[in-house]
């Protein structure tokens, strides 16, 4: 419920409230997801060139994740995870990825809010919801501002440069067009044009930003919120089939879970965790290699 | 999957919650306008749309870079190039993220240490960037002169 006595920024902040009755379950699911996400992510970024401190970070993050499930030390576990994430963000500067900032924000938010208190559980949910809305809204709006989706420019380049995009979005283009795009030398001068006229491809290209902007705005309003969240989850899955940023997709799912009933989140969570487990096992050679970006 | 049942504080300290609310509102407010600032930085200094929380991933291809070295009007000796490779690779990553805000001073220092006979040289950074109106990669060359 939005208080009429609060100043307008706070009324706006509270506009995304709702579903307080099961806030405990919502926060519990998100905390479980986040800690498992971080524990897995810190292992899959390790590779041949990794240094010993990075292995130490991965071990420490796993310990912090385990601690977060043990009531007497759960808050300390989350706080340690936030500190480790901050260390990772600082260490990766100036090439820190956006999803690392997002991970830092979320785990810090978990540590910052005292989730034993109902008002702070509500504060956590409110903040995470706005974070989801802002990230999705700006992801779509930036595509419009850069102007690289109206004629399929960015996605044409992606079909040319990435096998995953060729095997997915490339199916919406004639074979000759795919061959033309893939023959372009990116180091030529000029090198292009990466622009296509296939109607279905253009629908997909323009649908990407329209979906992100439209659904993010629909997340704000109680009447459209749940449908928008489910629609956005479907869009995230479709995007990740091509982009294969498994963990960014996972983070997006996590944020969207703040909008849907916990019983739906409980159905989505195991699916995401299966994908995470597959990524982890594949990373350590226990499953066949498959292409994804950590 | 509920939050573990820890000891709930007897007094929820609403003033602390109010203070936290204000902090988070300010942070979200900054995050709400930052992408516009970020966009301006991308246009002005070629900052990467993929980095620094502008949420402009998948808007432009990452630029391709070529980094060359010229000393006395000639390309730098291959042995020197091989020895300074780690600094060049690190700079290329930094340059991709920070654009023209990243100057190749670390590479220059590595060259000066590796080739004491070199009095002056230039680091030539060629950026193949994506030009949206032509939907093509175009070339931009920036030369950085250094003297001992």
């Amino acid at each position: 419920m939005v208080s009429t006595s609060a100043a307008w920024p706070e009324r706006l902040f509270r506009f995304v409230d709702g579903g307080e009755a099961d806030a405990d379950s919502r926060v519990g699911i998100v905390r479980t997801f986040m800690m498992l996400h971080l524990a897995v992510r810190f292992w899959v970024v390790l590779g041949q060139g990794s240094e010993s401190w990075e292995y130490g970070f991965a071990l420490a993050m796993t310990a912090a994740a385990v601690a977060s499930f043990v009531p007497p030390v759960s808050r300390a576990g989350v706080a340690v995870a936030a500190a480790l994430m901050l260390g990772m963000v600082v260490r990766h500067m100036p090439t820190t990825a956006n999803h690392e900032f997002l991970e830092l924000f979320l785990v810090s938010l978990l540590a910052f809010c005292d989730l034993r208190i109902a008002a702070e559980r509500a504060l956590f949910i409110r903040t995470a919801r706005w974070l989801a809305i802002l990230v999705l809204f700006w992801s779509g709006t930036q595509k419009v501002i850069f102007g690289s989706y109206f004629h399929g420019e960015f996605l044409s380049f992606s079909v040319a440069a990435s096998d995953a995009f060729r095997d997915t979005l490339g199916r919406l283009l004639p074979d000759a067009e795919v061959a033309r795009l893939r023959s372009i030398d990116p180091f030529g001068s000029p090198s292009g044009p990466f622009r296509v006229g296939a109607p279905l491809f253009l629908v997909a290209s323009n649908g990407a930003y329209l979906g992100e902007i439209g659904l993010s705005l629909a997340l704000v309003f109680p009447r459209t919120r749940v449908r928008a969240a489910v629609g956005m989850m479907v869009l995230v899955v479709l995007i990740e089939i091509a982009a294969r940023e498994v963990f960014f997709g996972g983070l997006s799912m996590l944020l969207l879970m703040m909008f849907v009933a916990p019983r739906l989140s409980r159905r989505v969570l195991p699916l995401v965790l299966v994908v995470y487990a597959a990524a982890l096992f594949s990373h350590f050679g226990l499953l066949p290699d498959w292409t994804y970006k950590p | 999957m509920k939050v573990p049942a820890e000891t709930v504080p007897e007094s929820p300290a609403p003033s602390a919650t109010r203070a936290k609310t204000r902090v988070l509102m300010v942070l979200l407010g900054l995050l709400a306008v930052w992408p516009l600032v970020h966009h301006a930085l991308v246009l002005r200094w070629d900052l990467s749309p993929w980095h620094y929380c502008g949420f402009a991933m998948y808007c432009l291809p990452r630029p391709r870079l070529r980094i060359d070295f010229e000393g006395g009007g000639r390309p730098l000796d291959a042995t020197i190039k091989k020895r300074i490779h780690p600094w060049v690779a690190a700079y290329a990553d930094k340059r991709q993220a920070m654009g023209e805000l990243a100057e190749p001073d670390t590479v220059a220092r590595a060259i000066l240490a590796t080739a004491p006979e070199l009095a002056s040289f230039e680091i030539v950074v060629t950026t193949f960037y994506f030009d949206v109106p032509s939907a093509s990669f175009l070339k931009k060359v920036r030369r950085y002169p250094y003297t001992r």
Side-chain angles (χ1 to χ4, degrees):
Chain A
M1 187 63 71
V2 180
S3 162
T4 49
S5 61
W8 74 264
E10 190 162 347
R11 287 207 301 275
L12 179 64
F13 187 38
R14 289 173 181 271
F15 194 77
V16 295
D17 282 0
E20 282 77 9
D22 47 24
D24 196 11
S25 295
R26 278 174 207 264
V27 172
I29 290 168
V30 166
R31 182 157 77 169
T32 302
F33 190 158
M34 189 68 210
M35 299 312 292
L36 292 173
H37 169 95
L38 289 176
V40 175
R41 262 264 296 143
F42 269 55
W43 285 107
V44 296
V45 295
L46 298 175
Q48 274 193 331
S50 295
E51 297 169 34
S52 53
W53 70 266
E54 290 175 286
Y55 284 90
F57 261 46
L59 272 173
M61 185 57 92
T62 303
V66 170
S68 75
F69 295 107
V70 181
V73 289
S74 66
R75 291 201 78 204
V78 175
V80 169
L84 289 167
M85 194 62 230
L86 176 64
M88 190 61 94
V89 162
V90 170
R91 183 66 178 84
H92 286 169
M93 280 288 192
T95 55
T96 311
N98 278 347
H99 57 265
E100 291 177 310
F101 284 114
L102 207 51
E103 286 163 343
L104 176 62
F105 194 106
L106 275 171
V107 72
S108 303
L109 185 61
L110 277 171
F112 186 64
C113 296
D114 187 341
L115 301 175
R116 300 166 300 176
I117 300 169
E120 299 213 4
R121 281 199 294 274
L123 179 60
F124 173 86
I125 293 172
R126 195 179 300 143
T127 308
R129 283 180 177 174
W130 275 115
L131 185 65
I133 291 164
L134 286 174
V135 170
L136 295 170
F137 175 78
W138 276 113
S139 293
T141 305
Q142 290 277 32
K143 290 180 177 75
V144 174
I145 297 174
F146 278 98
S148 55
Y149 276 68
F150 301 134
H151 302 286
E153 293 90 335
F154 179 81
L155 294 181
S156 301
F157 165 79
S158 301
V159 167
S162 149
D163 290 347
F165 275 91
R166 180 199 58 194
D167 298 342
T168 49
L169 280 173
R171 291 173 193 273
L172 303 178
L173 292 172
D175 290 348
E177 191 71 311
V178 174
R180 178 187 75 81
L181 291 170
R182 301 221 20 131
S183 69
I184 298 172
D185 170 16
F187 288 97
S189 183
S191 154
F194 292 98
R195 187 181 282 140
V196 295
L200 277 178
F201 193 88
L202 293 181
V203 167
S205 184
N206 287 278
Y209 64 80
L210 287 173
E212 285 175 333
I213 296 172
L215 292 172
S216 64
L217 293 177
L219 285 173
V220 176
F221 302 98
R223 194 173 285 185
T224 50
R225 191 172 289 158
V226 174
R227 282 185 200 145
V230 173
M232 201 67 226
M233 283 178 175
V234 173
L235 189 62
V236 166
V237 170
L238 290 175
I239 290 172
E240 294 311 331
I241 287 172
R244 299 194 185 171
E245 293 210 10
V246 168
F247 294 93
F248 189 74
L251 268 186
S252 305
M253 286 290 188
L254 187 153
L255 285 169
L256 291 167
M257 282 178 183
M258 301 308 306
F259 295 93
V260 299
R263 62 187 155 76
L264 178 59
S265 297
R266 281 193 205 99
R267 285 187 198 158
V268 176
L269 183 61
L271 297 176
V272 180
L273 294 181
V274 165
V275 177
Y276 277 19
L280 190 63
F281 291 150
S282 164
H283 184 74
F284 287 109
L286 300 170
L287 275 180
D289 196 20
W290 54 288
T291 309
Y292 68 94
K293 296 175 190 168
Chain B
M1 236 172 283
K2 295 199 167 192
V3 173
E6 294 171 62
T7 316
V8 179
E10 282 180 10
S11 163
S15 62
T17 306
R18 272 202 300 277
K20 288 179 182 180
T21 301
R22 287 197 195 102
V23 168
L24 292 173
M25 281 170 64
V26 169
L27 275 176
L28 285 172
L30 290 173
L31 200 64
V33 295
W34 169 249
L36 284 173
V37 179
H38 180 269
H39 189 78
L41 295 173
V42 171
L43 296 183
R44 174 65 185 82
W45 280 294
D46 288 341
L47 202 77
S48 166
W50 294 76
H51 293 88
Y52 310 121
C53 280
F55 303 114
M57 306 81 75
Y58 295 95
C59 284
L60 290 179
R62 295 170 204 268
R64 269 79 171 137
L65 290 176
R66 196 176 65 209
I67 302 173
D68 299 308
F69 312 94
E70 292 174 10
R74 291 177 310 178
L76 219 58
D77 184 70
T79 325
I80 299 172
K81 279 209 253 186
K82 198 175 172 186
R83 287 170 69 180
I84 62 168
H85 178 74
W87 286 273
V88 177
Y91 174 64
D93 284 347
K94 193 174 164 187
R95 175 87 184 197
Q96 278 221 332
M98 294 177 68
E100 296 198 355
L101 291 173
E103 302 218 338
D105 294 348
T106 50
V107 180
R109 277 196 290 274
I111 294 174
L112 289 169
T114 312
E117 72 286 356
L118 214 57
S120 66
F121 59 92
E122 280 190 330
I123 298 176
V124 185
V125 179
T126 307
T127 307
F128 298 85
Y129 68 97
F130 193 76
D131 174 62
V132 176
S134 65
S136 301
F137 281 92
L138 301 181
K139 194 165 77 171
K140 184 160 61 179
V141 180
R142 178 100 194 260
R143 307 179 82 88
Y144 296 90
Y146 289 91
T147 50
R148 188 172 291 278

